[in-house]
Amino acid sequence: VYGSLSRQLSRVSEIDLNAFASWYSNDVDPNTVRTLGATLSYNRRLFLERLQLLASMGLYNTDDGTDSSTNASALGGLRYTF
């Protein structure tokens, strides 16, 4: 399952939310693997709309019934368009 929401905050900025959930099972292993995650991003155009700022952060979790793993990530960047 995947979902996405996007909202333009102003003429030069926007925010995005992406989320997913998945479940896996098979005949060999009785455990079901569950994976969840979400990412939130902010995008802004600057300097005559040639310079673009991007900031993003996400949280992800995987659980197979025995082990569980949670990861967080963050990203920041600049892009210039000629």
Side-chain angles (χ1 to χ4, degrees):
V1 177
Y2 175 81
S4 178
L5 295 171
S6 185
R7 170 82 182 195
Q8 188 162 353
L9 301 174
S10 70
R11 188 178 66 80
V12 295
S13 65
E14 62 186 42
I15 192 166
D16 299 307
L17 174 65
N18 297 295
F20 68 90
S22 59
W23 296 265
Y24 306 98
S25 63
N26 60 43
D27 296 333
V28 178
D29 188 358
N31 293 331
T32 299
V33 177
R34 174 191 48 81
T35 304
L36 304 169
T39 304
L40 180 67
S41 300
Y42 175 74
N43 186 357
R44 183 171 184 95
R45 293 177 302 279
L46 308 163
F47 187 60
L48 301 174
E49 298 188 14
R50 292 189 175 271
L51 185 63
Q52 187 174 17
L53 168 73
L54 172 70
S56 180
M57 54 187 170
L59 188 62
Y60 313 96
N61 178 268
T62 301
D63 187 0
D64 67 1
T66 305
D67 294 320
S68 180
S69 172
T70 301
N71 297 304
S73 67
L75 168 82
L78 289 173
R79 179 174 78 177
Y80 186 80
T81 305
F82 293 95

